Amino acid sequence: MKGHLIGIVTLEKEYQRFAKGEITLALTLLKQASITIDNVFMYEKMKVMAIVDELTGMYKRRYFYEMTTHA
């Protein structure tokens, strides 16, 4: 994922090699999974950026608003 290892997938097939179509399908599914994982990481990062000031590291007004209105 963007040059960083996030996991390893091992596929095995007993007694025969994978067909080209099977390899293509596996790579397509893995690319989609990588995009999904990247989106989750980005979403979490955006949640933090919405409530924590990047310069000071202190909570923003939005954090306190969220805590009092959704408690």
Side-chain angles (χ1 to χ4, degrees):
M1 185 170 71
K2 296 182 181 176
H4 293 86
L5 179 65
I6 58 169
I8 296 174
V9 175
T10 302
L11 302 174
E12 294 182 30
K13 193 171 186 180
E14 197 169 342
Y15 302 118
Q16 54 184 310
R17 293 180 175 210
F18 286 101
K20 184 173 179 143
E22 292 173 320
I23 294 170
T24 302
L25 177 62
L27 289 174
T28 301
L29 293 173
L30 290 170
K31 286 177 187 176
Q32 291 298 316
S34 175
I35 291 168
T36 302
I37 292 168
D38 188 40
N39 288 342
V40 169
F41 284 133
M42 184 62 69
Y43 176 77
E44 291 300 321
K45 184 177 179 181
M46 293 297 120
K47 276 180 31 181
V48 171
M49 289 176 70
I51 62 171
V52 177
D53 182 77
E54 189 176 337
L55 183 62
T56 64
M58 296 179 67
Y59 287 110
K60 296 178 182 179
R61 181 188 66 82
R62 179 184 179 105
Y63 170 78
F64 295 108
Y65 176 78
E66 293 284 329
M67 294 308 292
T68 56
T69 58
H70 294 102

